[in-house]
Amino acid sequence: MADSFTATVLTPDSFAIWIEAQAREGARFASLLALRSGHETPLFGILSSAGRYNIAKCELGHGETPYPSLGSVTPVADWYERRIFDLFGLSSTGNSKDPLILQRDVKRSARSKYTGKPTNQRRNGSNPSVTGEGIFKIPLGPVRSGVFESIEYVVETPGEEILNVEPRPFYKHRGVVLGFAERSVEDGALLAERAEGVSGVAHAIAYCQAIEALSEPEVPVQAQLVRVIHAELERVANHLESTMRHCEAAAQAVALSRLGLHKEQVMRLRADLCGHRFSRGVVSPGGVRVPLLLDTAVTSDRISNLEREIDRDLTLLLKTPSFVDRLRGTGVVTYDQARLFGALGPVGRGSGLTDDVRASHSYGAYRRLGFLPVRQISDGDALARQLVRVDEIEGSFHLLKQALDELSQMAPPAKGWLTEQKVVTDGESLGWAEAAQGEVLYLVAVEDGKLRSVDLRSASFHNMALFSTAFPKDIATDFAFIEASFGLSVAGVSS
Amino acid sequence: MTWIFKGLSNGVVTSKYPKKADGYGHKWQGSLMVSRGATANQDRIEQDCPTHAIGFESGQARIDIGMCIFCGRCVEKYGDTFSFTPEFETARLTRELLVVPELSEDETDLASVKAALAIRMKAFGNSVVLRHVDCGSDGSEEWEIAALTNPIYDVQRLGITFTASPRHADILIVTGAGSLGMVDSLKETYLQMPNPKAVIAVGTDAISGGVYSSSPQTVKNGINEVLPVDIYVPGSPPSPFGILYGILLALRVVSDRNEPR
């Protein structure tokens, strides 16, 4: 056994106390994950503080007795506990056991559940289900009006004002996490790319870095730079998509078309660089399977063109009052809420948090590259999140140019773009990456050269847990903006 | 005001496809070619494919494009047997037609499939209204379907539009491996559509389950187990041109101009 991290092994009771103490000292509650190990399923509490992840492992024996709930640490723990119950059957003392990502009794149709009774009493800060005269529930979804991923939002409202929103992502759960078991480490990268398709590169990087931490050969620098190029193009595409959905909701038809054109050009550039519009099949344990298929000078030219065009349109968009006014003050997540929930990605950074694991837990080629100074934005509304995305697009182009520049001065790696990862030692390992939605975590257990168990947490899952807090005084027509400004992928939530 | 000029600044960017071929479509690695003749290492090749899309029949390798996720491992390891082909017109009317090299097909069978679809498609003329339902996709298929309305593909020019209501829809586009939680909603959406109607399965996940075909949380062999699928569009995910070809395939069944397969 050679784990890539040192976990503090604790009993269930001291596990909760340890996490609470860590959180009190200012660590961010990042995740509660689980790995199967024979008949047992130990839990892993992961907290982020000062550039490192502190991990505690909790052995539960056979898991008949509930483990102490972490609800007092952060309200977001409720989602993690429900998820652990759905996937691994372990219950906590505070577990509401409402299905979250797996509806065990699929025969019970969704609609029959609207009994008028509060369905889900949430605790600790998250607003509880509302009852009262004239208040009714509107099910939004799971079949959405448009080409969207399936999710159901149960909206509680007296007619106009949204009092509470309960996301139900379980409809599209397809068994991603448990599907990793017994696969080869190479297959794992293919599954990781498909866990959250629109952020597949970030997922593959997080997964591969977890595997690479268990094996000896270094990933060539050139391959790490290629990874950065694909990851940053993916980020640009995601941020454009989120902006397009803002434009659609605000009826900005020309802006929608313009950004649609730019996004298509980004997707085409990705395909020209590797043969796949979502850069799949590139990132693999040990490096990249495909080097850049375009000349670096040609790529730089196309990226400069894209940057100029996108920048012009976004600048104009942010000067268009009918767009900006619609976003300002919509869906405010305050700094305190964001901190309490440990909001990730643009959602957290729009509310004054600064964590970006590319910088704070730097990995791969990001260590060699310089970041643009980050503008402090803390309004917490949809406009703030939009501004963060505009800044990040600029930042991505800055990174892309540096990465291409470095790559053009290097010869191709002497031992090939992919180092054979034969010496995968058995053990447990953690990998992370910053997707467009925020921090992605992969916890991997390797045994006999194969995957024993993998658990993952996408930023979409974590941020969806605080989605319902983003409606302090918003009305039904704000919904589309708030959903778009979170920019989450349901596939990532329900994996 | 500025937006008006913005909108005109790039001229016409829209593709001429299907009237004229579009160069971009053919840059896409959309299908695979398998060399004829016996191959060594049969067991290893079968094992190496992550979705078990490769099979052998008296020494001849066959690959089921409906199960392939285009990871390229077979091309990388056994390049003399498998190679990518730049093709996007890969949608087919039956599941069997997705196998390459093609099986000895029953022409009368295909003709009857076409005739049955043609009867339904006749009602729509040259214009169809689409409704999309995600049944457990990874999110990427949605991007590619939504891309059809961007200025480059602009499917409205071909009489193809999207609707929010199943009651107004002619064709149901289904993505995803068929997660159990969505099956009831999918059936309900299909039932709410007026007759005649057709179903297009978009993506390898929807056709065969892809990497989730053995997951206990999805139906076993794709959307076909839930709904009668008329058109299969392979790809993980298929490109927008590939999806557009799938829709056109349905429309062309009636006026057989370039003899779709």
Side-chain angles (χ1 to χ4, degrees), chain A residues 395-425:
Chain A
S396 288
F397 281 121
H398 183 67
L399 288 165
L400 278 166
K401 282 185 281 188
Q402 290 178 63
L404 281 165
D405 197 38
E406 288 223 12
L407 205 54
S408 66
Q409 292 165 19
M410 289 180 195
K415 288 179 191 157
W417 291 89
L418 196 68
T419 337
E420 279 286 321
Q421 297 286 294
K422 278 201 177 113
V423 235
V424 179
T425 46

Side-chain angles (χ1 to χ4, degrees), chain B residues 130-226:
Chain B
L130 311 174
R131 165 75 238 199
H132 158 260
V133 174
D134 159 26
C135 204
S137 78
D138 61 26
S140 56
E141 279 95 352
E142 280 67 29
W143 273 27
E144 300 297 55
I145 295 171
L148 290 176
T149 56
N150 79 25
I152 292 183
Y153 302 99
D154 185 28
V155 291
Q156 276 97 339
R157 78 200 148 96
L158 302 168
I160 299 164
T161 51
F162 288 90
T163 177
S165 165
R167 303 259 180 170
H168 300 158
D170 306 324
I171 293 182
L172 184 64
I173 292 190
V174 188
T175 57
S179 60
L180 296 182
M182 274 308 289
V183 166
D184 284 350
S185 307
L186 179 67
K187 282 184 189 158
E188 187 62 29
T189 310
Y190 181 74
L191 288 175
Q192 295 297 327
M193 286 169 59
N195 280 319
K197 52 194 166 190
V199 178
I200 302 182
V202 167
T204 293
D205 284 1
I207 296 173
S208 68
V211 288
Y212 306 112
S213 57
S214 55
S215 164
Q217 300 306 325
T218 60
V219 296
K220 283 289 149 294
N221 289 306
I223 297 304
N224 212 359
E225 295 209 346
V226 186

Side-chain angles (χ1 to χ4, degrees), chain A residues 29 31 67 134 163 199 238 294 332 352 394 413 426 436:
Chain A
F29 177 81
S31 190
Y67 61 93
L163 299 177
S199 284
N238 267 290
L294 280 183
V332 176
E394 202 186 329
D426 290 1

Side-chain angles (χ1 to χ4, degrees), chain A residues 349-488:
Chain A
R349 292 194 281 276
S351 296
L353 302 182
T354 50
D355 205 10
D356 180 336
V357 295
R358 284 178 297 171
S360 65
H361 299 256
S362 195
Y363 54 89
Y366 287 112
R367 294 201 192 93
R368 323 163 48 92
L369 305 174
F371 290 85
L372 284 183
V374 186
R375 178 157 53 136
Q376 188 74 22
I377 299 168
S378 53
D379 292 342
D381 55 0
L383 182 61
R385 294 189 277 276
Q386 178 66 70
L387 290 174
V388 168
R389 288 199 171 89
V390 171
D391 285 0
E392 284 192 27
I393 289 176
E394 202 186 329
S396 288
F397 281 121
H398 183 67
L399 288 165
L400 278 166
K401 282 185 281 188
Q402 290 178 63
L404 281 165
D405 197 38
E406 288 223 12
L407 205 54
S408 66
Q409 292 165 19
M410 289 180 195
K415 288 179 191 157
W417 291 89
L418 196 68
T419 337
E420 279 286 321
Q421 297 286 294
K422 278 201 177 113
V423 235
V424 179
T425 46
D426 290 1
E428 288 160 357
S429 175
L430 180 74
W432 59 88
E434 180 83 12
Q437 288 81 9
E439 169 201 56
V440 176
L441 293 175
Y442 268 77
L443 195 60
V444 174
V446 177
E447 205 169 282
D448 304 328
K450 279 189 161 186
L451 297 173
R452 184 186 76 214
S453 181
V454 172
D455 203 359
L456 67 97
R457 194 274 275 131
S458 71
S460 295
F461 177 84
H462 194 101
N463 279 350
M464 191 60 96
L466 66 125
F467 186 65
S468 64
T469 62
F471 296 82
K473 51 182 192 333
D474 296 278
I475 58 172
T477 47
D478 294 332
F479 190 90
F481 291 94
I482 301 175
E483 199 196 1
S485 71
F486 268 62
L488 309 179

Side-chain angles (χ1 to χ4, degrees), chain A residues 270-294:
Chain A
R270 293 172 74 183
D272 290 346
L273 286 175
C274 70
H276 197 289
R277 283 166 60 95
F278 287 84
S279 316
R280 285 186 189 165
V282 175
V283 183
S284 195
V288 290
R289 284 170 58 201
V290 193
L292 291 191
L293 299 178
L294 280 183

